Amino acid sequence: MGLFATKPYEVGNSILVEEAYSWVTFRDNGPNICHTCFKFSKSLKKCSQCKFARYCGLDCQKKAWKENSHRWECKAIASSVEAKIPSIVRLAALFLFRALNSNDKDIRLVDRCRSFPYSYSNMDSRSDENDVDVLSRQRVDCLVEDLLRFIRLSHYPQHEVSELFEDNFVASLIRMLEMNAHTIYDSELNTLGVGFFPKASFMNHDCRPNCVALFTGGFHSVSGKPISIHIRCIRPIEAGEEIVISYLDVCLSWMDRLEWLKEHYQFECCCSRCKEESSLTIQQYSEKLVDWKSDWKFMNRMIVLSEREERASNMLRSFEYMNEAWDKCCLCIQTLYPNSPIFHWKQIQIASRLSYLCIVLKKYSQATEYLELYMKLIRDKPEWNYFPTVALEMLKLGKLYAYLGNLASAKKYLEKAKRIYANLVVKEDPIYQNCEKALYKVSIEYDWIVQQAENDVDGQLGIA
Ligand SMILES: C[S@@+](CC[C@H](N)C(=O)[O-])C[C@H]1O[C@@H](n2cnc3c(N)ncnc32)[C@H](O)[C@@H]1O
């Protein structure tokens, strides 16, 4: 199944706006994010019973109680000894409570889980079972146990749910939500939570997507309205064409995308971009495949080590590991495997990471160098147009240049970022406002300097 356009769409058109059916905020964000509209605030009110759920106002609290089944979840959270309930378990419980308490239409959603092809029972009969499958089943087993315990603690009428617990239904439900729910993030791409959006959940993946998914919430939210998904068109779409988004960052290499999609969604992508990039790589380098794999492994190892150090707040060590990955990547492109798209995309990913680390380490000038490389590497890739990750890097680069006093470059990148955001988010979105404000300030200063220079030249002062 998939989602298909019934009429043509232009870049920037909003294709679908849908409220979440069930949703949860991630634990780490809990204290500062309203559990209904995802508004960011430091003065949220706690639910007096569970002391966990927080709301920006009464409307949001009522909405959660009625529509997001907080009345059941509340008891379960309040009586949990260990409050660290996995987000997917809470989402599955909220989904079930809501579906069982509503009309036939929603029961169809439950039936969708039953027929879900990645169900536990289906995996049992797979002949090519491997370690990944076994690990994945063990993980689902634990989540199933957590969910059953959570439902028991909720005091939900057990006779209404008992029959659902047969035939591995709960495992199917968890798998359905793992594959069909959307991670919710704000326009700065910080992850906020996870939600199930019934229509949007039909959208398939393509590494060259024609749409992107963005969310209200974070800073731009509507009190009393649950978090919503917005699907925006980023390439012209014809009537009848499938509406596709990318489940991952489009700026990843074919190998990274392949591995990630297999691990998280258990499919091998065969979109046009994957076909192009895989055939180029494998045909061109088949004789060097063994070396190529070991270079690839080395780079990934350095990235993992860098991320580990970053989590431990050892930013300098993290920077050093990432730099090793960068050196290896440059060597691969310059001498070992020139023109290989796989290493080019890896270089884009590492450049972005290195610029982030430079900013944390306050090496601002060096950060602009990596971001310039990023922009150069991405220039002729069709995928970069209108993508939020790219817009964010442009905004960062514009602001860095403004800080460093290079106003011409600051203006150039802020204008580009604003142009992309104009097609992605509403004008009230803080990221758009932020971009507009920065551009306004830089432009005034820049115009003033240009005017001064012109006056000086007119006055024959002869400045260079
Ligand atoms: C969010 S669902 C999309 C709707 C799904 N096609 C359905 O019928 O329910 C995600 C699942 O769709 C399938 N899928 C999505 N994009 C795909 C692609 N490019 N190639 C193969 N399978 C894909 C995978 O099975 C994936 O786990």
Side-chain angles (χ1 to χ4, degrees):
M1 291 182 283
L3 211 65
F4 292 83
T6 51
K7 57 175 187 140
Y9 288 101
E10 300 287 328
V11 171
N13 284 169
S14 176
I15 292 190
L16 174 73
V17 181
E18 189 183 23
E19 282 184 4
Y21 184 82
S22 320
W23 63 92
V24 298
T25 54
F26 285 142
R27 229 192 134 64
D28 291 348
N29 299 322
N32 298 323
I33 297 232
C34 170
H35 283 209
T36 295
C37 70
F38 283 51
K39 179 183 178 156
F40 182 82
S41 164
K42 296 230 163 167
S43 53
L44 300 172
K45 302 258 182 323
K46 268 190 218 168
C47 165
S48 58
Q49 196 173 312
C50 67
K51 312 253 184 316
F52 171 74
R54 285 160 205 249
Y55 305 103
C56 64
L58 210 57
D59 286 347
C60 278
Q61 186 177 18
K62 279 188 192 157
K63 202 86 180 167
W65 191 259
K66 243 175 110 183
E67 277 184 24
N68 206 23
S69 310
H70 186 64
R71 71 194 126 146
W72 302 112
E73 186 202 34
C74 188
K75 293 194 187 84
I77 292 179
S79 35
S80 293
V81 183
E82 173 53 78
K84 278 202 165 174
I85 308 146
S87 302
I88 192 80
V89 167
R90 283 184 55 218
L91 184 70
L94 293 174
F95 172 90
L96 259 190
F97 297 147
R98 179 163 183 183
L100 296 176
N101 269 290
S102 40
N103 52 30
D104 294 349
K105 190 169 128 254
D106 292 9
I107 291 295
R108 263 191 270 142
L109 284 176
V110 176
D111 287 339
R112 184 167 160 202
C113 306
R114 281 210 185 83
S115 61
F116 201 72
Y118 293 100
S119 73
Y120 195 41
S121 48
N122 279 357
M123 291 200 74
D124 263 346
S125 59
R126 282 167 61 151
S127 52
D128 59 342
E129 183 177 87
N130 57 35
D131 289 352
V132 178
D133 293 335
V134 173
L135 275 177
S136 148
R137 286 219 323 261
Q138 285 170 352
R139 192 180 50 79
V140 172
D141 272 345
C142 294
L143 292 173
V144 167
E145 262 180 49
D146 287 345
L147 180 56
L148 294 178
R149 193 177 319 121
F150 194 75
I151 291 175
R152 263 196 307 278
L153 290 173
S154 72
H155 298 287
Y156 192 88
Q158 296 298 304
H159 62 276
E160 284 188 31
V161 276
S162 54
E163 69 175 80
L164 287 174
F165 298 154
E166 290 158 11
D167 299 333
N168 293 319
F169 169 78
V170 179
S172 297
L173 169 66
I174 285 178
R175 285 211 184 274
M176 189 285 270
L177 288 173
E178 276 188 335
M179 312 249 168
N180 284 1
H182 281 83
T183 300
I184 296 165
Y185 44 85
D186 64 16
S187 41
E188 283 181 31
L189 308 178
N190 303 304
T191 51
L192 308 176
V194 57
F196 177 69
F197 302 86
K199 285 185 195 148
S201 72
F202 284 116
M203 275 185 305
N204 285 316
H205 162 87
D206 197 294
C207 298
R208 203 175 267 148
N210 51 24
C211 284
V212 288
L214 291 143
F215 301 86
T216 54
F219 299 90
H220 173 64
S221 56
V222 188
S223 208
K225 274 190 137 265
I227 184 86
S228 303
I229 193 168
H230 287 232
I231 305 300
R232 288 273 192 143
C233 173
I234 56 164
R235 275 199 286 122
I237 298 175
E238 288 176 17
E241 204 178 316
E242 183 168 6
I243 291 167
V244 278
I245 54 167
S246 176
Y247 293 178
L248 36 68
D249 183 359
V250 280
C251 300
L252 290 179
S253 69
W254 159 67
M255 271 298 257
D256 287 332
R257 299 197 308 271
L258 184 85
E259 279 166 17
W260 194 90
L261 288 169
K262 255 201 223 163
E263 190 187 332
H264 293 89
Y265 287 90
Q266 283 136 40
F267 72 85
E268 260 182 50
C269 185
C270 30
C271 71
S272 54
R273 182 177 160 200
C274 282
K275 276 188 197 144
E276 281 163 28
E277 290 178 15
S278 64
S279 61
L280 252 170
T281 306
I282 289 173
Q283 273 169 24
Q284 268 182 312
Y285 302 109
S286 54
E287 76 282 5
K288 297 196 220 165
L289 215 56
V290 176
D291 296 343
W292 175 76
K293 279 192 177 156
S294 93
D295 290 333
W296 188 254
K297 221 166 145 185
F298 175 84
M299 268 187 310
N300 280 337
R301 175 98 192 109
M302 290 303 114
I303 293 173
V304 168
L305 288 174
S306 167
E307 285 168 350
R308 190 181 299 164
E309 295 295 337
E310 192 187 321
R311 278 195 296 277
S313 301
N314 298 329
M315 302 312 276
L316 204 55
R317 280 302 291 144
S318 171
F319 178 75
E320 283 163 7
Y321 280 126
M322 196 56 79
N323 237 334
E324 283 197 48
W326 174 260
D327 288 343
K328 183 62 146 188
C329 197
C330 292
L331 182 74
C332 288
I333 292 177
Q334 281 155 14
T335 53
L336 304 172
Y337 325 99
N339 307 321
S340 159
I342 189 170
F343 286 100
H344 276 291
W345 284 109
K346 196 76 179 173
Q347 207 180 19
I348 291 169
Q349 184 198 351
I350 303 174
S352 157
R353 209 62 214 145
L354 275 171
S355 71
Y356 162 79
L357 290 168
C358 283
I359 293 171
V360 177
L361 294 168
K362 298 192 170 32
K363 300 174 179 204
Y364 299 126
S365 175
Q366 209 175 341
T368 62
E369 285 168 23
Y370 284 120
L371 280 172
E372 281 288 1
L373 281 166
Y374 174 95
M375 298 303 163
K376 196 170 148 215
L377 291 162
I378 216 151
R379 197 158 292 155
D380 27 290
K381 312 276 179 207
E383 295 77 17
W384 76 275
N385 271 311
Y386 304 112
F387 216 73
T389 34
V390 177
L392 196 60
E393 300 293 23
M394 285 187 175
L395 178 58
K396 255 193 249 167
L397 187 52
K399 286 194 162 192
L400 278 170
Y401 274 133
Y403 176 82
L404 295 169
N406 182 343
L407 296 178
S409 299
K411 195 164 170 268
K412 177 174 114 185
Y413 283 108
L414 290 172
E415 275 169 353
K416 284 186 180 190
K418 189 181 157 192
R419 221 173 298 140
I420 303 181
Y421 279 126
N423 280 311
L424 291 178
V425 295
V426 289
K427 299 237 169 359
E428 295 77 36
D429 194 293
I431 202 132
Y432 187 84
Q433 304 255 324
N434 191 314
C435 199
E436 199 167 42
K437 213 182 286 171
L439 182 59
Y440 177 73
K441 283 191 186 158
V442 164
S443 300
I444 287 192
E445 215 169 315
Y446 177 79
D447 291 346
W448 186 83
I449 290 172
V450 170
Q451 185 69 53
Q452 284 296 307
E454 280 171 4
N455 290 348
D456 287 348
V457 173
D458 283 349
Q460 311 279 300
L461 286 182
I463 58 159

